[in-house]
C-alpha cells in the first residue's frame, strides 16, 4: 500500500486541479443551484485538506471525494433548513448550445428524484460503471442497477416514450 | 445524448477561477469562508440569518436576525405540514446546548439545544409510545445566544408538549418552528386525559388533520423506535462502513472452537463495560528450534495479535476500576462487520487473564524473538460479537441464553456480512438497560463471579 501525505499545498493543488471540474459537476447536478454548488465545492475541498487522509489508490481518492460531495449536498438541504430546492437555469448557454433533444433529456435527468438522478448522471454523463458508482455511493451494485433501471423508466415516461439507453 | 452535448455540459458546468482561488485559500487556511447566501428571490424564501453578533454586558450574545420563513411558524396547520412527526411527549432531560458552524456565524456559532423526550401519543406519524427519542431544537436554552424576535420557549424537564419534529438528512429529529414546535400543554403526565380535552390539544389535532402540505425532501428517521419499521442493526450501532476496520494480514489458523455457553464465564477474571479507544494489530516474530529441518534447524513463526486499548466505564466484576485504561490482547480473533469491535464504540467484555508469554517456553525451545505479550488480558470468547452498548440498551447475540431470556426486541441485521458473520443475521437482540443489568447479575452469580 502506498501511503501519500496530502499535507502539502503543491499536492493539494494538483489533486484539486484534477478533480475540481468533476466535483463541481456532481455537486451542481445534485443541488441544482450554482450558489449551493459553490458552497459544496468549497466544503469538500476544506474537508479533503483538513482530513489529510491516506488513500490506497487514485480510485479510492476519487470515490472518497465524490462520496463526500454527495454528503455535503445533503448537508446543504438541512443547513438552510427551510429552503426549497428549485431548478434555476444558472447556465443558459447549455440550452443555446445543446441540441434541443439532448437539452430536454438533461433537464429531465436533473428533475429526477435524487436516488435516480445521481446514478443516472454518473453513469450516462460521467461515464462511470455501475461498480464504480457503487464504490462512490456505498450503494450495493444490485441496488444501483435497479435504480438505473427505474431511473431510465421514469425518464422514458418524462420524455414521452423516447428511450434512454445511451 | 451524444458525446458533443456531454462535452458542452463539462465545459460549461465548472467552478470559476474565483471560486477555485477562494477555496484554495480557505482550505489551506483551514477555515471556511462562507460564500454569498443563497437567495432565491420570488421563488422560495430562504432562511437567511445575517448575523452581527454583539456581546452584551451580561455575557450573552445578542443576534439580530433577519429570518424569513417559507411557512408561517405561528400557524399549526403550516407547521404540521412541514413536520414529519407531531406527537405529545414528556421532556425527560435537557441535554445542553451546542454551537455549530462557528466558522460561518460569528462566535459562538448557531445554537442547538438537545432533549430526550418520551412519546406519549402520536398525532402525525407514528413513533413507538412510551419510548424516548432524542430531539434537537434550534436555539439556546441557556440564554447565552438570544435570537432577536424569536419569542421562543425552551421546554423544561417534566413538561408535556406537542412536538412538531422534522427528520434531518442524518435521521435526527429537529424542532425548527420556535415555540410552536414545542407547544407546552402541561407539566404532569397524569393530566394526559385532561390534556386531550383541552381546546389547545383539539386545535393541534385539527391542524394536523387539515395540514397545509409542504413539498420538501423527506428523510428516513434514525430513531430505532419508529413504528412499522424493523429494528435495524445499522441504526442501533450507528454502523458506518467508512469507520476504521481491522485490516489484518494474519494467516488463517485452524482451531477447534467450542460453542459459547455462559458457563465459560467461570474462566473469567473480570467483566467490564468499556469504550474501545484504539485497535491495532501487532506482529511477533519468534525463532524456535525445530528438528523437522534437521539438526540445528529452526522455525521462524510470525504471530499476529489484536491489541485493544479500552477505557473502563463500568466494572461488573474483577479488580479493575472505572476510568482505568487497560490493554487487551487477543491471540485469536475473527474479522467481520458484526464480529469486530470498533473504535469509539462501547462493549461489555468478559476478560480472561492468561500467561505473560505468547508461547510457552517450557514446550518450545526459543532461540530469538520477544515472547512477552503486551497484555495478559484477552477477550473470553472472541468468536462471537461482543455485547455492544447502544443508546437504547445492549445488542446481545442469542448465545447468551440468560441475557436474552427476558424482554427483548429482535434486531434485523441489515449490513453486508462477511462469511464469518452470516450466522448472526437472525440472532441479535436488543435488551434494555434495566433487563440487561438484572440478567447479567444472574449470569455472574451463576458463574461464581459474584
Amino acid at each position: 500500500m502506498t501511503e501519500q501525505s496530502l499535507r502539502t499545498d503543491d499536492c493539494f493543488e494538483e489533486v484539486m486541479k484534477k478533480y475540481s471540474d468533476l466535483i463541481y459537476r456532481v455537486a451542481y447536478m445534485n443541488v441544482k443551484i450554482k450558489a449551493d454548488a459553490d458552497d459544496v465545492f468549497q466544503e469538500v475541498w476544506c474537508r479533503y485538506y483538513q482530513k489529510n487522509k491516506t488513500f490506497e489508490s487514485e480510485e479510492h481518492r476519487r470515490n472518497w471525494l465524490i462520496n463526500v460531495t454527495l454528503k455535503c449536498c445533503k448537508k446543504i438541504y438541512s443547513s438552510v433548513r427551510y429552503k426549497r430546492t428549485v431548478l434555476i437555469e444558472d447556465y443558459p448557454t447549455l440550452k443555446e448550445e445543446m441540441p434541443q433533444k439532448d437539452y430536454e433529456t438533461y433537464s429531465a435527468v436533473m428533475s429526477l428524484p435524487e436516488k435516480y438522478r445521481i446514478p443516472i448522471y454518473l453513469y450516462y454523463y460521467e461515464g462511470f460503471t455501475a461498480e464504480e458508482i457503487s464504490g462512490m455511493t456505498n450503494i450495493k451494485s444490485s441496488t444501483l442497477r435497479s435504480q438505473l433501471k427505474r431511473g431510465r423508466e421514469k425518464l422514458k415516461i418524462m420524455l414521452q416514450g423516447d428511450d434512454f439507453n445511451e | 445524448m451524444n458525446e458533443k452535448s456531454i462535452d458542452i455540459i463539462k465545459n460549461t458546468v465548472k467552478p470559476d477561477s474565483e471560486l477555485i482561488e477562494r477555496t484554495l485559500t480557505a482550505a489551506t487556511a483551514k477555515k471556511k469562508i462562507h460564500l454569498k447566501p443563497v437567495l432565491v428571490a420570488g421563488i422560495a424564501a430562504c432562511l437567511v440569518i445575517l448575523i452581527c453578533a454583539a456581546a452584551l454586558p451580561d455575557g450573552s450574545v445578542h443576534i439580530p436576525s433577519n429570518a424569513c420563513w417559507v411557512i408561517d411558524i405561528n400557524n399549526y396547520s403550516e407547521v404540521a405540514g412541514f413536520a414529519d412527526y407531531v406527537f405529545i411527549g414528556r421532556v425527560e432531560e435537557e441535554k445542553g446546548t451546542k454551537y455549530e458552524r462557528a466558522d460561518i456565524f460569528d462566535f459562538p456559532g448557531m445554537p442547538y439545544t438537545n432533549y430526550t423526550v418520551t412519546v406519549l401519543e402520536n398525532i402525525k406519524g407514528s413513533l413507538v409510545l412510551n419510548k424516548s427519542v432524542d430531539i434537537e431544537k434550534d436555539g439556546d436554552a441557556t440564554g447565552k445566544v438570544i435570537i432577536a424576535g424569536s419569542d421562543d420557549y425552551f421546554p423544561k424537564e417534566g413538561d408535556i408538549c406537542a412536538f412538531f419534529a422534522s427528520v434531518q438528512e442524518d435521521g435526527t429529529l429537529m424542532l425548527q418552528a420556535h415555540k410552536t414546535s414545542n407547544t407546552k400543554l402541561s407539566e404532569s403526565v397524569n393530566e394526559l386525559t385532561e390534556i386531550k380535552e383541552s381546546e389547545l390539544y383539539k386545535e393541534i389535532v385539527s391542524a394536523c388533520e387539515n395540514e397545509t402540505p409542504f413539498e420538501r425532501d423527506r428523510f428516513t428517521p434514525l430513531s430505532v423506535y419508529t413504528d412499522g419499521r424493523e429494528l435495524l442493526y445499522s441504526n442501533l450501532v450507528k454502523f458506518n462502513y467508512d469507520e476504521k476496520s481491522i485490516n489484518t494480514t494474519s494467516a488463517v489458523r485452524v482451531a477447534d472452537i467450542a460453542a459459547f455457553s455462559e458457563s465459560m464465564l467461570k474462566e473469567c477474571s473480570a467483566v467490564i463495560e468499556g469504550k474501545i479507544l484504539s485497535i491495532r494489530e501487532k506482529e511477533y516474530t519468534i525463532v524456535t528450534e525445530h528438528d523437522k529441518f534437521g539438526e540445528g534447524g529452526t522455525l521462524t513463526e510470525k504471530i499476529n495479535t489484536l491489541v485493544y486499548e479500552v477505557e473502563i466505564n463500568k466494572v461488573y466484576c474483577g479488580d479493575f476500576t472505572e476510568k482505568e485504561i487497560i490493554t487487551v490482547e487477543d491471540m485469536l480473533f475473527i474479522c467481520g462487520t458484526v464480529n469486530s469491535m470498533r473504535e469509539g464504540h462501547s462493549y461489555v467484555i468478559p476478560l480472561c487473564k492468561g500467561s505473560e508469554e505468547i508461547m510457552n517456553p517450557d514446550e518450545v525451545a526459543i532461540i530469538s524473538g520477544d515472547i512477552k505479550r503486551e497484555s495478559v488480558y484477552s477477550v473470553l470468547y472472541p468468536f462471537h460479537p461482543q455485547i455492544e452498548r447502544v443508546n437504547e440498551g445492549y445488542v446481545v447475540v442469542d448465545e447468551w441464553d440468560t441475557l436474552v431470556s427476558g424482554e427483548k426486541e429482535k434486531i434485523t441485521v441489515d449490513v453486508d456480512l462477511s462469511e464469518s458473520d452470516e450466522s448472526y443475521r437472525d440472532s441479535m437482540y436488543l435488551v434494555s438497560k434495566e433487563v440487561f443489568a438484572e440478567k447479567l447479575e444472574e449470569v455472574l452469580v451463576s458463574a461464581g463471579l459474584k
Side-chain angles (χ1 to χ4, degrees):
Chain A
M1 183 165 69
T2 312
E3 294 205 355
Q4 186 181 8
S5 170
L6 302 171
R7 188 59 88 182
T8 68
D9 290 357
D10 285 349
C11 186
F12 176 66
E13 279 185 49
E14 201 176 290
V15 175
M16 200 176 158
K17 193 175 170 186
K18 185 171 180 181
Y19 293 107
S20 271
D21 287 2
L22 173 63
I23 295 304
Y24 193 83
R25 285 197 302 274
V26 172
Y28 182 73
M29 170 277 299
N30 207 317
V31 295
K32 301 191 278 190
I33 296 173
K34 189 175 183 304
D36 278 352
D38 287 0
D39 253 355
V40 169
F41 180 84
Q42 195 177 65
E43 176 88 33
V44 170
W45 289 112
C46 285
R47 282 200 201 183
Y48 177 81
Y49 188 85
Q50 288 171 23
K51 197 91 178 172
N52 195 25
K53 193 173 166 63
T54 302
F55 297 96
E56 290 166 19
S57 63
E58 204 51 38
E59 188 187 356
H60 182 204
R61 188 202 308 276
R62 183 198 63 200
N63 287 358
W64 186 89
L65 281 166
I66 292 185
N67 188 267
V68 170
T69 304
L70 296 174
K71 283 178 183 166
C72 289
C73 290
K74 285 193 172 179
K75 194 177 158 195
I76 282 279
Y77 295 135
S78 60
S79 61
V80 185
R81 298 191 194 287
Y82 289 104
K83 179 169 64 62
R84 282 176 197 263
T85 305
V86 188
L87 180 59
I88 297 176
E89 290 180 359
D90 282 310
Y91 296 103
T93 52
L94 285 178
K95 192 173 184 178
E96 291 160 15
E97 291 179 21
M98 284 165 75
Q100 190 188 345
K101 193 178 169 190
D102 284 355
Y103 183 75
E104 282 170 6
T105 307
Y106 177 66
S107 299
V109 170
M110 292 289 273
S111 61
L112 281 172
E114 185 190 336
K115 71 174 176 179
Y116 303 123
R117 186 169 73 248
I118 292 166
I120 289 273
Y121 178 82
L122 292 172
Y123 189 84
Y124 288 102
Y125 289 82
E126 294 295 342
F128 292 119
T129 64
E131 283 69 30
E132 285 173 323
I133 300 168
S134 174
M136 293 165 188
T137 56
N138 291 338
I139 297 171
K140 278 185 190 172
S141 290
S142 55
T143 309
L144 201 100
R145 284 178 205 285
S146 67
Q147 285 177 346
L148 281 169
K149 184 170 176 283
R150 284 185 201 135
R152 275 196 300 267
E153 287 165 2
K154 282 189 179 290
L155 279 173
K156 194 175 174 182
I157 294 165
M158 290 162 81
L159 297 168
Q160 296 177 329
D162 284 354
D163 274 333
F164 189 83
N165 290 324
E166 50 180 340
Chain B
M1 179 67 71
N2 66 43
E3 288 294 326
K4 199 178 162 192
S5 292
I6 292 175
D7 285 344
I8 292 170
I9 293 169
K10 288 186 176 177
N11 290 326
T12 308
V13 182
K14 58 202 291 189
D16 55 41
S17 54
E18 188 200 346
L19 174 65
I20 291 177
E21 193 62 32
R22 291 180 64 157
T23 301
L24 201 56
T25 310
T28 52
K30 296 187 208 172
K31 182 184 174 188
K32 188 176 179 227
I33 298 168
H34 189 52
L35 298 170
K36 59 192 171 196
V38 182
L39 273 170
V40 189
I43 303 171
C46 303
L47 172 63
V48 180
I49 301 177
L50 305 171
I51 294 173
C52 307
L56 296 178
D58 63 359
S60 64
V61 177
H62 186 254
I63 299 179
S65 72
N66 175 18
C68 39
W69 309 82
V70 287
I71 56 166
D72 175 359
I73 61 165
N74 296 312
N75 181 323
Y76 286 122
S77 295
E78 293 202 21
V79 178
F82 185 86
D84 297 301
Y85 295 99
V86 181
F87 63 94
I88 307 297
R90 182 182 62 240
V91 178
E92 300 297 345
E93 188 184 359
E94 190 226 286
K95 298 196 288 186
T97 301
K98 63 181 181 182
Y99 304 90
E100 291 182 356
R101 311 196 77 191
D103 53 344
I104 296 169
F105 303 106
D106 288 345
F107 173 83
M110 285 300 288
Y112 299 98
T113 302
N114 291 280
Y115 295 93
T116 301
V117 175
T118 296
V119 180
L120 303 176
E121 181 168 302
N122 289 301
I123 300 175
K124 175 182 177 180
S126 52
L127 297 166
V128 171
L129 297 178
N130 302 315
K131 292 282 186 185
S132 61
V133 290
D134 290 332
I135 298 189
E136 196 171 51
K137 175 178 166 64
D138 269 341
D140 189 342
T142 68
K144 188 176 170 187
V145 174
I146 304 159
I147 299 176
S150 65
D151 187 24
D152 207 348
Y153 173 71
F154 292 89
K156 308 285 181 293
E157 286 174 18
D159 276 5
I160 295 182
C161 300
F163 291 96
F164 294 71
S166 52
V167 182
Q168 300 301 292
E169 63 93 14
D170 63 358
T172 55
L173 295 176
M174 171 75 83
L175 306 174
Q176 295 166 302
H178 287 180
K179 66 176 182 182
T180 309
S181 55
N182 46 267
T183 301
K184 186 177 172 183
L185 299 170
S186 170
E187 286 174 6
S188 165
V189 71
N190 299 324
E191 296 174 25
L192 187 58
T193 322
E194 218 171 281
I195 283 169
K196 290 169 82 168
E197 295 300 318
S198 72
E199 288 305 313
L200 184 53
Y201 173 84
K202 288 174 184 169
E203 185 188 344
I204 290 169
V205 171
S206 169
C208 290
E209 286 168 356
N210 302 292
E211 66 172 39
T212 309
F214 188 90
E215 192 188 329
R216 65 175 173 87
D217 284 345
R218 303 276 169 170
F219 302 104
T220 307
L222 187 63
S223 169
V224 295
Y225 290 121
T226 307
D227 259 352
R229 294 182 65 220
E230 293 165 301
L231 189 56
L232 299 180
Y233 179 79
S234 60
N235 279 347
L236 271 174
V237 305
K238 313 285 184 283
F239 190 86
N240 179 359
Y241 283 101
D242 291 340
E243 277 182 281
K244 186 181 172 187
S245 58
I246 306 156
N247 184 18
T248 178
T249 52
S250 64
V252 174
R253 287 195 219 170
V254 179
D256 285 332
I257 301 171
F260 177 81
S261 75
E262 288 173 352
S263 63
M264 286 181 176
L265 255 74
K266 287 174 183 161
E267 299 163 28
C268 274
S269 62
V271 177
I272 56 136
E273 184 174 318
K275 183 178 178 183
I276 306 293
L277 300 179
S278 69
I279 306 173
R280 65 190 151 81
E281 197 180 0
K282 185 168 182 175
E283 186 178 275
Y284 295 83
T285 304
I286 298 160
V287 181
T288 56
E289 281 182 12
H290 211 287
D291 55 12
K292 185 180 177 184
F293 308 112
E295 196 176 337
T298 60
L299 179 70
T300 303
E301 282 194 67
K302 285 190 185 295
I303 298 170
N304 290 73
T305 65
L306 208 56
V307 181
Y308 304 91
E309 281 215 324
V310 186
E311 183 182 25
I312 297 176
N313 300 324
K314 199 170 185 177
V315 182
Y316 292 101
C317 66
D319 293 331
F320 294 112
T321 53
E322 285 181 17
K323 300 294 169 199
E324 188 180 353
I325 295 174
I326 62 165
T327 305
V328 176
E329 186 172 24
D330 280 348
M331 295 274 291
L332 290 167
F333 49 91
I334 292 182
C335 299
T337 47
V338 303
N339 248 312
S340 305
M341 291 196 278
R342 291 178 293 151
E343 281 181 1
H345 293 240
S346 294
Y347 302 86
V348 173
I349 315 169
L351 294 173
C352 288
K353 193 171 181 180
S355 70
E356 290 184 351
E357 291 88 19
I358 205 148
M359 282 182 156
N360 187 348
D362 297 334
E363 291 176 3
V364 286
I366 293 159
I367 297 171
S368 65
D370 186 7
I371 61 162
K372 284 276 183 192
R373 287 174 61 182
E374 190 167 337
S375 170
V376 294
Y377 294 104
S378 58
V379 174
L380 168 71
Y381 195 78
F383 311 110
H384 71 180
Q386 301 308 303
I387 299 163
E388 183 158 356
R389 172 80 160 90
V390 294
N391 285 339
E392 296 77 6
Y394 293 86
V395 175
V396 186
V397 290
D398 65 359
E399 288 163 320
W400 288 91
D401 295 336
T402 308
L403 296 185
V404 299
S405 64
E407 196 182 328
K408 61 186 179 289
E409 292 177 75
K410 183 149 180 52
I411 296 168
T412 300
V413 181
D414 60 328
V415 298
D416 283 342
L417 297 174
S418 66
E419 204 175 313
S420 62
D421 291 335
E422 196 63 46
S423 60
Y424 299 113
R425 189 176 285 287
D426 300 317
S427 64
M428 310 278 273
Y429 291 95
L430 176 67
V431 180
S432 70
K433 293 167 203 168
E434 297 75 21
V435 173
F436 182 82
E438 182 193 317
K439 295 291 177 186
L440 184 61
E441 184 73 13
E442 278 181 38
V443 175
L444 296 178
V445 169
S446 171
L449 294 170
K450 274 207 163 180

